[in-house]
Each structure stands twice: as C-alpha cells, then as structure tokens.
C-alpha cells in the first residue's frame, strides 16, 4: 500500500572519508527513501547482515580503495548464502570500465562513476525497485 | 486470497524457527501497511510476553546508540539475546529518513544473538507507537529476551513509544546549556532510571546533583529512581547500569506492577486496533470524492462538520448489515 524504498549505504574498506557516501545518502533521503547508513570500515559480512535485518531493497557501496574486485563478489556470495539474492547491489567510485563490466556479469546491478549526479542515482533506484 | 494466507503462514513458521529474513520481511509488511500483516501478528501473539522491553530516550547525540551497543554486549555476557529497534525521525516534507544508529553498533553487528532494526517515524495513521509495538512483538515472538528501543526524546510520539516499555532510561549529558531544562516536561515522569552519559566530560557531577535535586522533589512511593554515571564509549558504568535495569524488572514483578502495566498496555493496544479498524473501514467505504464533497460544503457553510460527521456515521450504519 505504502511501500517505502529502503537502501543500505555503506563505505567498506579501510580508506579515508565517507563524504561521497554521505552525499548520496542525503540525496536518497531527500527523494523520500529510507536510508540505513552504517558508516565507515564495513566488512562484507557486516554489510550483508545489516541488509538482511533491515530488509533493504538496495545495497549501495561506495569504494575508493581498489578492493572492488574482492569486495563486491564477496557481498554477492554472502547474499546468495543467505537466500537474499533479490537485494540489488550497486556501487560507486573509481572503477575501471573493464572491471565494471566483469562486476555487472557477476550480478552487480549498476556501477556509478565518480561525479555521477545524485538525481541519476535516485532515478535508477526508483526505476529498479518498482 | 488463499495464496496470501499461505505466504503469511510461511513467514510465521519461519520466524518461529529462527529465520532472520522472515523477521525482517514481516517488519516491512507492518511498516508499509501491507494487507493482511495483522493475521501474521495474530499467529505470533501466543508466542509473545516473555521479553523485557527497555526504552532509551534522551536528547540528540547524547550517546543513546553507543549505550545500546554496550548494554547489549553486557546482556549477551549474561546469556540474554537482544533485539533492538532504533527509531529516527522521518522528514515530514519528503517522507525520507536517514537512519544512522547502526554506525555506533558495530560491536554487536555480527552477533547472531542480536537483531537490529532501524525505523523511521513515517506518518503512521493510528500512531507510531502502534507500529513500534508491532515490531517489538515480532522480536518478542522471535525469542529475544531483551528488547531495547531507542528514540530521540523530543517529540510527544517518541514519549508515547517509551511509555510502552517495562523499564525506561532517560539519558542526559553534562553541559547542555542550563542542563536539565533539556528534559521536556512529560519525559521526566516516565523515567525509571536516569543516566548521566559522557561523564568523562566536565560538569558531570553538576548534572548528577541537579538530577538528584529534581528527583528528590518528585519523590514518590516505591521505586527510588537511581541515577547512573556512564561513559558509553569506554563501557564505564555499564555493569552497574545493567544490574539496576535487572533489579527494576524484579521490582516490577514483585510489586505486581508488571502485570498491571501489561493489562494497561493490552487495553490501550486493543482499543487502538479497534480505532484503526474503524478508521480504515470509513476510509474504504467513503471515497475521497465523497469526503471532498462534504468538505466543500463545510467550507461554504452549507453544512457544519458535526452534521457532516454524523452523516458519514449514518451511512455506515445503513450499509453495515
Ligand atoms: N566523550 C564521550 N563521548 C561519547 C560518549 N558516549 C557517546 N559519545 C559520542 O557521542 C556521539 C553521539 O553518540 P550516539 O551514540 O550516536 O548518540 P545518540 O544519542 O544515539 O545520537 P542520535 O541517535 O543521533 O540522537 C558519538 O560521537 C559518540 O562517540 C561518552 O560517554 N563520552
Ligand atoms: Mg542514536
């Protein structure tokens, strides 16, 4: 009746700040979504466990560290192990196109390059959760 | 129809057999007001009533989530499983919410004996406390021994939520301007235990003494409201705090107050459900157009709101049999 989109936003890995993740989190909130923000230094296990408990539609990961080729597959595998493959996984950050291609093949829904306007991310999520 | 019933029954049996996904899913059905979620709650009802429900409220940033994290660690050491509901405000303008309490709960994020759920206040018809209560019951039926409910102590609806707890903690911190004034009227009365968190900071003793004076003035029979100093970030004071929380529960049982509160809660809840049902019945029966037509007449003074309401009630009576 009043289905609200819920999105988990996390910043995995050990590197630096979460400015980008926070900007996206706020934009999603301002578009009417419920954003569960879990903060810095999240492991794949923590991300998937939180996504399950919070029953989110989408996991959005912000990555700068270059660990994307290990972290994303790990998240996807853990989701599978928990029968939660229906949760969509998206990522943002500096990811080379050939890696992005591989990640999409593995089942990552979307990779947003740096500087993607937040409206685009909002729109993409709205369309893909319908 | 039958299919939906089957889905609901499957969710219920999964919850009772310990499936976290089913718990999370039912919580969403409740929050989203999806049809028939109440039949799942009805099935779960016989499995509820065992949990100790603890409300934690206080000003923004006072350290509630950090306290929840540390309290949970201590309850886990004492062999208890823990469910957590962390409520944050929904923007009334966009309907969105940023739910950030998990950031402070990373110590317990992977513990299988813990279940954390973040909740936006949304604009729930029939009150936020009804929804919170429903989520509490799901965690209760799921077998959690302790249920911690975190809310920001600013709005009336948040106060309503903690009223449903068996034990309510009010969190204060030193140096919030003219300290105790930050405690809203109405919040003071619902506190069973006061916590002076961030007592590593200057002014903690002042805050403690001010609280002491205020509580002395509010002296009442029975439970003597304790004040506990904590440093949530380091865990200092957590063990005595949990001891006091447990002794409050014992006090509630020994004095019969637990049973009294239970009866009152069930009555409120039951009447709330009846009211909700009547509300949605009216909304289903009378179209938005019908209502707008009446509103139009009221605006133009062709009709007054009292007579209009009576008309709606009469039309219900005529169609209900
Ligand atoms: N110095 C000090 N800082 C603390 C203590 N407890 C919490 N903090 C810090 O206070 C800040 C807010 O803590 P939270 O636990 O998020 O507070 P909260 O009351 O849950 O905040 P909201 O949910 O936003 O209202 C964080 O930076 C904590 O690390 C404490 O005992 N001492
Ligand atoms: Mg908090």
């Amino acid at each position: 009746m009043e289905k609200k989109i819920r999105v988990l936003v996390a910043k995995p890995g050990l590197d630096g700040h979460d400015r980008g993740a926070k900007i996206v989190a706020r934009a999603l909130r301002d578009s009417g979504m419920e954003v569960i923000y879990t903060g810095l230094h999240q492991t794949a296990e923590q991300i998937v466990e939180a996504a399950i408990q919070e029953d989110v539609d989408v996991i959005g990961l912000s990555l700068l560290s270059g660990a994307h080729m290990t972290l994303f597959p790990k998240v996807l595998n853990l989701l599978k192990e928990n029968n939660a493959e229906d949760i969509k996984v998206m990522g943002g950050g500096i990811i080379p196109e050939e890696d992005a291609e591989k990640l999409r093949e593995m089942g990552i829904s979307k990779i947003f390059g740096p500087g993607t306007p937040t409206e685009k991310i909002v729109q993409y999520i709205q369309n893909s959760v319908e | 129809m039958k299919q939906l019933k089957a889905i609901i029954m499957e969710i219920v049996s999964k919850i009772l057999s310990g499936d976290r996904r089913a718990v999370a899913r039912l919580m969403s059905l409740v929050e989203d007001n999806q049809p028939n979620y109440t039949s799942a709650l009805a099935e779960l009802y016989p499995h509820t009533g065992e949990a100790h429900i603890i409300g934690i409220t206080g000003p923004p940033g006072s350290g509630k989530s950090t306290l929840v994290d540390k309290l949970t660690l201590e309850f886990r050491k004492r062999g208890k499983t823990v469910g957590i509901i962390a409520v944050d405000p929904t923007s009334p303008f966009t309907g969105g919410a940023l739910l950030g309490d998990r950031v402070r709960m990373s110590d317990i994020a992977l513990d299988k004996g813990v279940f954390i759920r973040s909740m936006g206040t949304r604009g729930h018809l029939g009150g936020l406390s009804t929804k919170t209560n429903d989520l509490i019951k799901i965690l209760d039926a799921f077998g959690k021994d302790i249920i911690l409910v975190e809310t920001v102590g600013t709005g009336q609806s948040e106060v309503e939520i903690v009223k449903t707890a068996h034990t309510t903690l009010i969190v204060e911190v030193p140096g919030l301007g003219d300290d105790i004034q930050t405690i809203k009227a109405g919040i003071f009365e619902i506190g069973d235990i006061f916590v002076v968190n961030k007592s590593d900071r200057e002014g903690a003793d002042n805050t403690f003494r001010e609280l002491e004076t205020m509580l002395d003035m509010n002296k009442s029979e029975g439970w003597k409201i304790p004040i506990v100093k904590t440093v949530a970030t380091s865990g200092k004071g957590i063990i005595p705090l949990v001891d006091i929380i447990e002794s409050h529960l014992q006090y509630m049982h020994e004095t019969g107050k637990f049973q009294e509160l239970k009866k009152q809660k069930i009555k409120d809840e039951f009447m709330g459900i009846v009211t909700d049902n009547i509300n949605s019945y009216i909304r289903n029966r009378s179209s938005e157009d019908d209502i707008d037509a009446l509103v139009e007449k009221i605006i133009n003074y062709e009709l007054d709101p009292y007579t209009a309401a009576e008309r709606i009630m009469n039309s219900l009576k005529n169609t209900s049999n």
Side-chain angles (χ1 to χ4, degrees):
Chain A
M1 305 266 111
E2 310 156 21
K3 166 82 184 116
K4 193 155 294 247
I5 299 175
R6 284 168 70 88
V7 184
L8 182 107
V9 174
K11 171 79 182 65
L14 293 173
D15 58 305
H17 60 77
D18 56 352
R19 207 179 312 135
K22 276 188 174 155
I23 289 170
V24 172
R26 283 195 206 105
L28 298 178
R29 174 198 62 188
D30 292 342
S31 76
M33 298 178 198
E34 279 184 351
V35 181
I36 293 93
Y37 186 68
T38 59
L40 289 161
H41 309 323
Q42 297 287 298
T43 65
E45 285 80 5
Q46 285 172 329
I47 289 163
V48 171
E49 188 57 39
I52 288 173
Q53 293 177 4
E54 300 288 358
D55 192 36
V56 297
D57 307 288
V58 174
I59 297 175
L61 301 177
S62 156
L63 266 178
L64 290 168
S65 59
H68 51 273
M69 291 315 277
T70 51
L71 197 108
F72 278 117
K74 212 168 167 192
V75 167
L76 289 173
N77 279 335
L78 285 166
L79 284 173
K80 232 174 248 145
E81 275 172 33
N82 285 283
N83 292 320
E85 309 96 302
D86 54 304
I87 300 175
K88 295 185 176 64
V89 184
M90 299 172 194
I94 306 159
I95 294 169
E97 182 45 40
E98 50 172 301
D99 287 355
E101 185 58 42
K102 277 188 211 144
L103 290 170
R104 279 191 289 270
E105 273 163 30
M106 285 176 206
I108 298 290
S109 306
K110 182 85 181 168
I111 301 285
F112 295 102
T116 307
T118 52
E119 305 89 75
K120 256 186 114 167
I121 303 177
V122 167
Q123 208 165 47
Y124 184 84
I125 294 179
Q126 275 166 347
N127 290 337
S128 65
V129 172
E130 289 307 285
Chain B
M1 193 63 208
K2 209 169 209 158
Q3 211 189 348
L4 199 62
K5 176 92 185 153
I7 293 170
I8 295 272
M9 291 311 291
E10 195 189 333
I11 289 185
V12 168
S13 72
K14 279 186 175 169
I15 289 174
L16 295 176
S17 65
D19 183 329
R20 285 141 42 248
R21 264 225 111 183
V23 169
R25 186 51 53 83
L26 181 57
M27 287 179 164
S28 298
L29 295 179
V30 169
E31 285 196 273
D32 290 338
N33 257 330
Q34 296 293 308
N36 287 52
Y37 76 82
T38 49
S39 45
L41 295 179
E43 293 293 330
L44 290 177
Y45 182 72
H47 303 274
T48 63
E50 296 298 317
H52 181 190
I53 302 159
I54 302 166
I56 299 174
T57 192
S62 52
K64 300 176 294 294
S65 300
T66 316
L67 272 170
V68 165
D69 182 71
K70 294 302 192 305
L71 288 171
T72 301
L73 283 177
E74 182 58 27
F75 277 120
R76 294 291 292 138
K77 274 190 199 145
R78 300 185 187 197
K80 304 277 172 58
T81 55
V82 181
I84 296 163
I85 299 168
V87 186
D88 277 317
T90 295
S91 157
F93 305 108
T94 64
L98 195 54
L99 312 174
D101 295 311
R102 271 182 178 269
V103 172
R104 308 279 164 217
M105 301 185 190
S106 53
D107 290 334
I108 52 176
L110 286 177
D111 182 342
K112 290 280 190 257
V114 177
F115 190 102
I116 308 169
R117 179 72 170 211
S118 313
M119 185 185 180
T121 51
R122 300 195 190 177
H124 287 303
L125 265 176
L128 171 62
S129 50
T130 313
K131 292 292 179 201
T132 316
N133 246 321
D134 289 343
L135 298 206
I136 290 173
K137 267 188 277 169
I138 296 168
L139 288 173
D140 190 350
F142 189 46
K144 294 292 174 243
D145 303 314
I146 304 284
I147 297 169
L148 300 168
V149 184
E150 172 188 339
T151 62
V152 180
T154 46
Q156 188 56 40
S157 56
E158 283 86 347
V159 175
E160 291 294 319
I161 296 172
V162 285
K163 265 191 195 160
T164 69
H166 300 123
T167 305
T168 298
L169 273 55
I170 311 279
V171 183
E172 270 300 318
V173 289
L176 275 178
D178 261 348
D179 294 357
I180 313 303
Q181 284 180 19
T182 54
I183 302 181
K184 290 263 154 63
I187 291 193
F188 214 75
E189 287 77 51
I190 58 171
D192 299 304
I193 299 166
F194 280 78
V195 179
V196 180
N197 190 42
K198 306 199 184 183
S199 60
D200 52 327
R201 291 218 184 142
E202 212 176 310
D205 289 329
N206 271 343
T207 309
F208 188 94
R209 273 194 299 275
E210 277 180 60
L211 276 174
E212 219 171 24
T213 315
M214 287 194 81
L215 290 171
D216 267 348
M217 292 191 306
N218 278 36
K219 212 178 238 156
S220 57
E221 298 285 296
W223 176 254
K224 186 173 180 323
I225 298 170
I227 310 168
V228 187
K229 281 199 241 172
T230 58
V231 182
T233 34
S234 74
K236 197 171 163 204
I238 295 297
I239 291 174
L241 180 54
V242 171
D243 288 343
I244 288 170
I245 291 171
E246 287 182 339
S247 64
H248 181 257
L249 180 67
Q250 202 185 342
Y251 163 84
M252 294 287 284
H253 278 300
E254 282 168 4
T255 53
K257 288 197 158 68
F258 190 91
Q259 208 53 29
E260 235 171 75
L261 179 66
K262 184 170 181 174
K263 191 173 165 190
Q264 187 57 48
K265 269 172 62 176
I266 288 174
K267 190 172 173 183
D268 289 350
E269 193 186 328
F270 164 56
M271 288 315 291
I273 295 167
V274 171
T275 314
D276 284 354
N277 284 350
I278 294 174
N279 270 335
S280 51
Y281 185 79
I282 293 173
R283 296 240 159 228
N284 291 339
R285 283 282 168 151
S286 21
S287 72
E288 205 63 31
D289 287 345
D290 292 343
I291 292 175
D292 283 344
L294 286 173
V295 168
E296 198 58 37
K297 283 192 175 150
I298 299 170
I299 292 175
N300 296 325
Y301 293 93
E302 290 164 33
L303 196 63
D304 65 88
Y306 309 97
T307 312
E310 226 165 84
R311 275 193 202 172
I312 290 222
M313 290 311 291
N314 283 336
S315 76
L316 291 179
K317 281 181 208 151
N318 293 337
T319 50
S320 63
N321 39 25

